[in-house]
Amino acid sequence: MSERSERSGRQRAVPVLDLDAIIDDPGTRIVVCCGSGGVGKTTTAAALGLRAAERGRSAVVLTVDPARRLAQSMGLTELDNTPKPVAGVRGEGRLHAMMLDMKRTFDEIIEAHADPERARQILTNPFYQSLSSSFSGTQEYMAMEKLGQLRRSGDWDLIIVDTPPSRSALDFLDAPERLGRFLDGRLIRLLMAPAKAGGRSAFKLLNAGFGLVAGAMTKLLGAQVLKDLQTFVSALDAVFGGFRVRAEQTYRLLQAPGTAFVVVAAPERDAMREASYFVERLAEERMPLAGLVVNRVHRAPAAVLSAARSTAAAEDLEARGEHELTAAVLRLHAGRMQLAAREHREQEHFFSAHPTVPVAQVPAMSEDVHDLEGLRRVGELLAAQQDLEGVQQSA
């Protein structure tokens, strides 16, 4: 092989993602799995958590996805806002799992950072009840809060976060800024002003600063709703500052060396495009990217028999009316070869655009993962990446 060919081959090499090295490193404290929907993030997060626990770590898996797959695969009837121990873990480590309860987390924050009377006013306020259940961005912000709580507790030396599906998986990175914009908005400042001013001056300030829009808002929202909103904002004023501080602390924690982001994808066009988006976004935010996991990769058996030759042989047998079963097998093989080639092309686009990003591939499994043994098998496949470089060069 010429020197030029050797140099070209080196350029095509795909760095291998060594996930065992990441979860074995005591300096790794947080692993965030992100990616588009339906690519196996929950399974990947759970498999990493189980493998880490069985290799001696004290791990907790936090899922923000409301699907029940994580609980079922870990042998739990259900998950809630409190980490639950997972039975059946081999080795000296331990594993817990939990599912984010957005409203319960919000309630816990209010109860922890407000005096009992103020907390009661907030928790019973109709506007708060609506905000804590459905306000845009609340789920992502609460994910930040819960991650911060788990980290501050010191009960686990490894936290694995399974983020929501689609691009919203990275919305929690925007949570501090979004919260700041909300708190600093003109409407919120006007609503807070009467409580801060107090007494008669508050009444004057309300009339002066808010009078121009109060009539229109009253017609739009109703007098009681407007009153509930003012009461809510006034009661929450003292608590909001802590929200912002803690969110910014968690954001900095995600940028720290002890955090590893794992982007999860499937070998399909849309999923690989989303993977590129995540990688680029993480780079913009200066978040530590560990690498990419590509799930459900199809490998073609008997690769020496190409799809074209297999199809031609099947057509020849069918034309002669012979060996129908053999012809069907040949067509099945051709289909597998074509699928593998298509998946490889989709991955090649990512490899070309991001040649330095380490990659791990998980072969397609014959059945869905639904128990600890299945998660254990996925963990083994995630760790068995020695031949990835050769696979990519010879595919």
Side-chain angles (χ1 to χ4, degrees), residues 336-354:
R336 287 292 300 271
M337 289 290 290
Q338 291 167 347
L339 174 61
R342 184 167 62 250
E343 290 182 352
H344 177 68
R345 286 194 299 272
E346 296 303 337
Q347 293 177 80
E348 276 294 319
H349 293 311
F350 178 93
F351 301 149
S352 298
H354 308 285

Side-chain angles (χ1 to χ4, degrees), residues 22 25-30 252-261 286-289:
I22 293 171
D25 182 357
T28 303
R29 305 301 301 274
I30 298 172
R252 288 193 295 271
L253 183 65
L254 291 173
Q255 292 178 315
T259 298
F261 279 82
R286 299 190 301 281
M287 298 290 172
L289 172 67

Side-chain angles (χ1 to χ4, degrees), residues 96-390:
H96 286 72
M98 64 175 295
M99 180 183 296
L100 179 73
D101 183 328
M102 179 176 68
K103 188 177 188 311
R104 183 61 212 145
T105 301
F106 213 147
D107 291 350
E108 289 172 354
I109 297 166
I110 300 301
E111 292 166 353
H113 296 92
D115 61 74
E117 177 57 27
R118 188 176 295 247
R120 185 196 64 78
Q121 293 176 5
I122 296 172
L123 295 176
T124 58
N125 186 277
F127 186 78
Y128 167 77
Q129 292 172 358
S130 175
L131 174 77
S132 60
S133 301
S134 58
F135 188 73
S136 175
T138 302
Q139 184 183 50
E140 290 76 21
Y141 180 75
M142 290 305 126
M144 290 277 281
E145 277 282 352
K146 183 55 68 175
L147 172 58
Q149 289 177 12
L150 293 173
R151 184 67 179 86
R152 288 190 296 271
S153 74
D155 292 335
W156 299 274
D157 57 35
L158 180 62
I159 303 167
I160 299 178
V161 182
D162 167 38
T163 57
S166 78
R167 290 195 175 190
S168 65
L170 286 183
D171 281 353
F172 64 88
L173 298 180
D174 297 323
E177 183 181 355
R178 185 186 298 116
L179 181 66
R181 286 198 304 266
F182 173 72
L183 298 177
D184 294 335
R186 182 177 300 176
L187 173 60
I188 297 299
R189 291 201 307 271
L190 282 171
L191 291 171
M192 284 183 175
K196 290 183 177 180
R200 182 169 176 149
S201 60
F203 180 76
K204 291 181 179 179
L205 184 58
L206 176 63
N207 283 332
F210 195 53
L212 296 177
V213 295
M217 287 191 63
T218 301
K219 290 180 181 178
L220 179 65
L221 301 175
Q224 185 59 46
V225 172
L226 185 59
K227 182 179 179 181
D228 289 339
L229 177 59
Q230 287 178 259
T231 302
F232 162 74
V233 171
S234 299
L236 206 58
D237 182 23
V239 183
F240 262 149
F243 276 25
R244 188 157 28 189
V245 169
R246 289 190 306 279
E248 290 170 350
Q249 289 174 344
T250 305
Y251 185 87
R252 288 193 295 271
L253 183 65
L254 291 173
Q255 292 178 315
T259 298
F261 279 82
V262 175
V263 177
V264 184
E268 302 160 1
R269 178 170 300 180
D270 289 346
M272 295 306 297
R273 284 177 176 172
E274 288 293 282
S276 289
Y277 163 79
F278 283 119
V279 167
E280 292 161 6
R281 175 70 195 282
L282 289 169
E284 290 174 5
E285 301 287 340
R286 299 190 301 281
M287 298 290 172
L289 172 67
L292 170 72
V293 170
V294 186
N295 280 323
R296 300 192 291 269
V297 175
H298 291 86
R299 304 267 171 81
V304 293
L305 180 59
S306 68
R309 289 177 60 192
S310 182
T311 301
E315 290 174 348
D316 182 56
L317 290 173
E318 290 166 349
R320 288 186 287 161
E322 299 175 354
H323 305 288
E324 293 182 1
L325 181 58
T326 302
V329 171
L330 286 168
R331 287 197 176 277
L332 179 62
H333 173 72
R336 287 292 300 271
M337 289 290 290
Q338 291 167 347
L339 174 61
R342 184 167 62 250
E343 290 182 352
H344 177 68
R345 286 194 299 272
E346 296 303 337
Q347 293 177 80
E348 276 294 319
H349 293 311
F350 178 93
F351 301 149
S352 298
H354 308 285
T356 63
V357 174
V359 178
Q361 291 179 325
V362 179
M365 301 175 67
S366 58
E367 58 183 23
D368 290 337
V369 176
H370 60 274
D371 56 16
L372 281 185
E373 197 54 48
L375 291 176
R376 196 170 284 121
R377 176 60 180 153
V378 173
E380 293 169 354
L381 292 170
L382 284 167
Q385 300 296 319
Q386 300 94 319
D387 298 329
L388 173 65
E389 187 172 343

